[in-house]
């Protein structure tokens, strides 16, 4: 509003520009009184544009009152009435007019800044009025404290308006503004106040993190995001029905700065995993499978392979909670059926979200990746030469550079058989429920063993022919018409019908017969699938083959014998870890896609 007061013939005028948008323009206008002849009078009348109240300042309500401004030596009252009662009002000079001067406001452009201009430029918008704070009242008159013409310490070009210090368009200090107030007796409603520009609004302080460890974690994640790679630690998990397979990438190119900024629980996890080969009673790190000097996502390091029984999964989740793993990661890439089964436990106990992945996708991607990098300078893939001759049978490397098409036989708790035609083109042909889980379960029942390693150790010492009924037990020799050798198994566990045979066998014989039965069944199904799909390359993977030389040689023998040398059985060094490697690779893809 414009507030005009005068006295002494209109020679001492003071102006207020509060709420007009001209607060920051010093000397932006002057008061000119138009005489009867249209010429300006008293050119000395002027206004500095600084808010200040002279003694006896009045508040005219409307333009009509401004035209009745009078009083040569006395102040004009708010209603515009003459001072003396009963006296005829004297003639007064015409109402003063405002003439804007073409002056450049301090700190801004050459245009005079007004609310109307701001609205036209889209800089301001009329919004709901904020509730007014209570005005500061003194003890004597109950009136608002007069504002000081200048804020202490302000430059001459700065104007204090409504308690805020403005200097051109510079942001005011972040504090609640002091609003002009009127007494209830004034009778005038205050005009609506315009909100500050967004850039002048007080900004909230930046979020504070609870600890230096969390600050470091945030910094590491931001740095990793800029480089399109996830923050450490890097894990991939394959949670199967019998075993959990875990791969962990240990960085070996950590700089001195990274080591200094590394949080303690990250150091603790790396030290725990790499300095031990066993974790509790059942967790094992397969040191002989470690891939060294590997480059993944631009970092050099070693890839470790760890396994433990699926029945120990809850202990693993609890350990992740105790080591505060969620402070380093909130999402863990996992595949296998257990990724679905244990998803809620990970979320509730360890505060971790599982990124669930298809196990067959991960299997193929992990296999192709590990074969491409090799096994510490040696080929990942191998086969057995002369498998039908035990004395001449030996392990030979095999180049899998052009693997397609291939029949991929995944031997875990159960068995899945895939026909793979390219990296992204494959189908599941069939499978069987008789797999590694079947072998271990039957061995536990028949021999009293408790672990896979114990069952294999017993099988290596046994003789399955004491348990199985052979072709020669039926024919007395070979079945020559169809080329069946007398040593071929005609009936698995066929001799156990005889009490005399049952009393003469050992636990080792039973373990060996169980192993041969499961292996022969898988080999027979794989051979028929290869013939149906017209594929002559059969790749066997899965933890059923871990430290299981007996089964690998049996499969090699079966493929070669029954195909008359047309089918070749291939094996890989990292047997059952390809699903976990595929999950780890997906972690890098997730980061690069962000």
């Amino acid at each position: 509003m414009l507030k005009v007061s005068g006295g002494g013939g209109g020679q001492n005028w003071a102006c207020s520009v509060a709420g007009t948008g001209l607060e920051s323009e010093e000397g932006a206008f002057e008061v000119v009184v138009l005489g009867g002849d249209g010429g300006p009078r008293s050119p000395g009348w002027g206004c500095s544009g600084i808010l200040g109240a002279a003694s006896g300042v009045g508040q005219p309500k409307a333009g009509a009152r401004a035209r009745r401004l009078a009083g040569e030596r006395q102040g004009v009252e708010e209603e515009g009435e003459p001072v003396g009662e009963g006296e005829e009002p004297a003639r007064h000079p015409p109402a003063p007019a405002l003439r804007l001067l073409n002056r450049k406001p301090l700190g801004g452009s050459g245009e005079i800044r007004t609310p109307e201009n701001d609205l036209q430029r889209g800089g301001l918008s009329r919004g709901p009025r904020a509730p007014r704070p209570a005005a500061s009242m003194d003890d004597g008159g109950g009136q608002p404290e007069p504002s000081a013409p200048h804020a202490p310490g302000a430059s001459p070009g700065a104007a204090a308006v409504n308690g805020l210090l403005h200097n051109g368009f510079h942001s005011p200090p972040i504090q609640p503004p002091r609003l002009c107030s009127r007494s209830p007796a004034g009778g005038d409603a205050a005009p609506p106040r315009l909100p500050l520009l967004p850039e002048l609004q007080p900004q909230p302080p930046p979020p504070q993190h609870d600890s230096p460890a969390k600050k470091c974690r945030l910094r590491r994640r931001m740095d990793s995001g800029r480089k399109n790679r996830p923050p450490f630690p890097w894990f991939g998990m394959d949670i199967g029905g019998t075993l959990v397979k875990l791969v962990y990438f240990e960085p070996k190119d950590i700089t001195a700065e990274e080591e200094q900024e590394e949080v303690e629980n990250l150091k603790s996890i790396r030290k725990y995993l790499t300095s031990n080969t066993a974790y509790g009673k059942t967790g094992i790190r397969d040191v002989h499978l470690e891939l060294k000097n590997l480059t993944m996502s631009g970092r050099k390091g070693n890839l470790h392979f760890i396994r433990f029984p699926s029945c120990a999964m809850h202990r693993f989740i609890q350990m992740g909670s105790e080591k505060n793993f969620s402070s380093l990661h909130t999402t863990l890439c996992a595949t296998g059926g257990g990724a679905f089964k244990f998803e809620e436990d990970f979320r509730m106990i360890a505060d971790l979200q599982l990124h669930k992945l298809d196990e067959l996708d991960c299997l193929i991607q992990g296999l192709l990746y590990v074969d491409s990098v090799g096994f510490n300078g040696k080929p990942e893939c191998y086969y057995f030469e002369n498998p039908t001759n035990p004395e001449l049978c030996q392990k030979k490397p095999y180049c899998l550079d052009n693997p397609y098409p291939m029949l991929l036989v995944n031997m875990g708790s159960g068995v899945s058989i895939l026909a793979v035609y390219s990296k992204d083109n494959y189908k599941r042909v069939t499978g069987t429920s008789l797999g590694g889980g079947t072998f271990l379960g039957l061995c536990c029942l028949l021999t009293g063993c408790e672990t896979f390693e114990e069952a294999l150790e017993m099988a290596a010492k046994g003789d399955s022919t004491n348990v199985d009924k052979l072709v020669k037990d039926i024919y007395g020799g070979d079945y020559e018409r169809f080329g069946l050798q007398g040593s071929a198994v005609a009936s698995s566990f066929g001799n156990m019908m005889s009490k005399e045979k049952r009393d003469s066998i050992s636990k080792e014989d039973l373990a060996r017969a169980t192993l041969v039965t499961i292996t022969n069944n898988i080999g027979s199904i794989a051979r028929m699938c290869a013939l149906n799909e017209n594929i002559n390359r059969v790749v066997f993977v899965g933890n059923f083959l871990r430290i299981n030389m007996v089964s690998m040689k049996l499969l090699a023998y079966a493929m070669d014998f029954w195909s008359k040398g047309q089918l070749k059985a291939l094996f890989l060094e990292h047997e059952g870890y390809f699903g976990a490697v595929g999950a780890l690779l997906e972690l890098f893809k997730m980061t690069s896609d962000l």
Side-chain angles (χ1 to χ4, degrees):
M1 64 168 284
L2 173 67
K3 183 168 67 178
V4 184
S5 65
Q11 299 300 312
N12 298 317
W13 293 85
C15 299
S16 172
V17 291
T20 67
L22 300 174
E23 294 93 334
S24 60
E25 285 77 35
E26 181 181 4
F29 59 87
E30 68 178 1
V31 179
V32 178
V33 177
L34 302 178
D37 55 359
R41 283 194 344 198
S42 300
W45 294 9
C47 181
S48 66
I50 302 175
L51 176 63
S55 61
V57 172
Q59 296 181 353
K61 282 188 177 181
R65 297 195 198 98
R67 287 192 299 271
R68 293 198 300 271
L69 289 173
E72 303 235 342
R73 303 184 184 278
Q74 299 180 5
V76 179
E77 295 189 1
E78 188 168 348
E79 298 295 330
E81 300 287 347
V83 176
E85 286 231 1
E87 299 181 9
E88 184 171 343
R91 293 184 177 275
H92 302 295
L98 290 179
R99 185 172 67 194
L100 297 179
L101 301 180
N102 187 19
R103 292 194 182 182
K104 183 176 181 180
L106 295 177
S109 64
E111 182 183 3
I112 298 300
R113 182 178 173 205
T114 66
E116 289 74 20
N117 290 340
D118 286 339
L119 286 170
Q120 292 173 5
R121 289 192 299 266
L124 292 175
S125 61
R126 296 187 183 273
R129 293 178 59 191
R132 297 183 180 182
S136 173
M137 308 297 287
D138 59 18
D139 296 333
Q143 298 294 326
E145 293 185 17
S147 301
H150 292 281
S155 63
V161 180
N162 290 344
L164 292 176
L165 181 63
H166 289 264
N167 187 1
F169 291 101
H170 293 287
S171 302
I174 300 175
Q175 60 183 14
R178 291 179 55 193
L179 305 177
C180 293
S181 63
R182 293 175 181 266
S183 64
D188 282 350
R193 295 185 58 82
L194 297 175
L196 292 174
L197 290 170
E199 58 267 23
L200 301 181
Q201 295 285 358
Q203 299 297 321
Q208 299 295 321
H209 299 286
D210 297 336
S211 65
K214 288 191 176 181
K215 291 181 181 179
C216 181
R217 179 188 67 186
L218 179 61
R219 186 165 57 251
R220 291 187 302 108
R221 286 181 176 175
M222 292 175 64
D223 178 67
S224 296
R226 288 193 294 267
K227 296 178 181 178
N228 287 331
R229 60 182 176 227
F232 291 121
W234 294 350
F235 287 106
M237 289 187 70
D238 181 5
I239 311 174
T242 304
L243 281 178
V244 177
K245 286 77 67 178
L246 179 73
V247 295
Y248 165 66
F249 181 83
E250 175 199 9
K252 302 297 287 186
D253 58 351
I254 299 177
T255 64
E257 181 181 0
E258 286 178 322
E259 187 172 3
Q260 184 177 4
E261 294 182 351
E262 200 171 44
V263 294
E264 282 302 320
N265 54 338
L266 180 58
K267 293 179 182 178
S268 173
I269 289 173
R270 184 170 68 246
K271 182 178 179 181
Y272 175 72
L273 292 176
T274 59
S275 62
N276 294 293
T277 58
Y279 314 95
K281 296 180 179 180
T282 57
I284 298 292
R285 178 163 64 94
D286 288 317
V287 181
H288 66 286
L289 295 179
E290 179 180 338
L291 293 178
K292 299 181 179 180
N293 300 320
L294 193 64
T295 300
M296 300 190 79
S297 193
R299 297 302 297 262
K300 291 184 177 180
N302 299 337
L303 193 62
H304 299 272
F305 299 85
I306 301 167
R307 54 183 164 83
F308 58 89
S310 300
C311 60
M313 194 68 216
H314 283 99
R315 292 200 297 272
F316 174 81
I317 296 173
Q318 187 63 41
M319 183 185 71
S321 175
E322 294 170 356
K323 289 187 175 293
N324 199 21
F325 187 77
S326 61
S327 67
L328 303 172
H329 268 301
T330 55
T331 302
L332 187 63
C333 289
T335 188
F340 297 85
K341 178 180 178 180
F342 296 104
E343 179 182 16
E344 187 69 11
D345 295 324
F346 271 97
R347 188 177 65 83
M348 297 298 295
I349 300 174
D351 194 25
L352 286 170
Q353 184 73 31
L354 289 186
H355 181 60
K356 303 183 296 297
L357 304 164
D358 182 82
E359 62 178 305
L360 299 182
D361 286 343
C362 290
L363 169 66
I364 295 173
Q365 300 303 319
L367 184 154
L368 295 175
Y369 173 79
V370 175
D371 181 71
S372 68
V373 300
F375 184 21
N376 298 327
K378 300 179 295 183
E380 170 73 13
C381 187
Y382 62 94
Y383 71 103
F384 288 95
E385 189 178 54
N386 301 316
T388 57
N389 189 336
E391 296 180 358
L392 299 178
C393 182
Q394 56 182 336
K395 181 179 175 180
K396 291 285 187 178
Y398 184 87
C399 181
L400 203 60
D401 289 344
N402 185 22
Y404 311 114
M406 67 175 171
L407 196 74
L408 183 58
V409 184
N410 188 28
M411 306 164 67
S413 299
V415 179
S416 285
I417 301 178
L418 314 176
V420 183
Y421 300 100
S422 71
K423 181 179 179 180
D424 301 312
N425 181 18
Y426 74 90
K427 65 178 181 179
R428 185 180 186 273
V429 179
T430 189
T432 175
S433 61
L434 305 181
T438 311
F439 163 69
L440 181 56
L442 289 176
C443 280
C444 291
L445 284 174
L446 297 173
T447 68
C449 67
E450 295 183 356
T451 65
F452 183 73
E453 290 78 7
E454 187 179 353
L456 285 179
E457 184 179 355
M458 297 176 67
K461 301 175 182 178
D463 184 357
S464 61
T465 61
N466 294 330
V467 179
D468 297 333
K469 189 178 290 291
L470 307 180
V471 171
K472 66 181 179 181
D473 294 331
I474 301 173
Y475 279 85
D478 299 338
Y479 189 1
E480 295 178 357
R481 180 181 178 184
F482 295 102
L484 292 176
Q485 296 181 351
S487 59
V489 178
S491 175
S492 297
F493 283 77
N495 284 337
M496 294 300 95
M497 295 182 291
S498 168
K499 185 178 183 305
E500 180 182 352
K501 292 284 187 181
R502 289 197 303 269
D503 293 339
S504 63
I505 61 169
S506 65
K507 292 182 179 180
E508 288 77 11
D509 294 338
L510 290 171
R512 180 67 172 238
T514 303
L515 182 60
V516 170
T517 298
I518 299 299
T519 304
N520 283 342
N521 184 65
I522 296 172
S524 177
I525 297 173
R527 173 178 169 270
M528 288 187 290
C529 290
L531 291 175
N532 288 339
E533 297 296 325
N534 196 26
I535 297 175
N536 58 14
R537 186 185 291 113
V538 185
V539 181
F540 294 93
V541 297
N543 266 302
F544 176 60
L545 299 177
R546 180 176 58 84
I547 62 170
N548 188 359
M549 190 61 67
V550 173
S551 290
M552 285 189 285
K553 289 185 175 181
L554 276 174
L555 289 170
Y557 174 86
M559 292 295 105
D560 183 80
F561 179 82
W562 295 111
S563 68
K564 296 180 172 56
Q566 297 300 310
L567 292 178
K568 188 178 293 294
L570 302 176
F571 306 92
L572 297 166
E573 298 284 358
H574 288 85
E575 301 117 353
Y577 283 105
F578 299 116
V581 173
L584 175 61
L585 295 176
E586 187 64 27
L587 176 65
F588 303 140
K589 291 180 183 178
M590 287 174 56
T591 308
S592 62
D593 289 343
L594 294 180

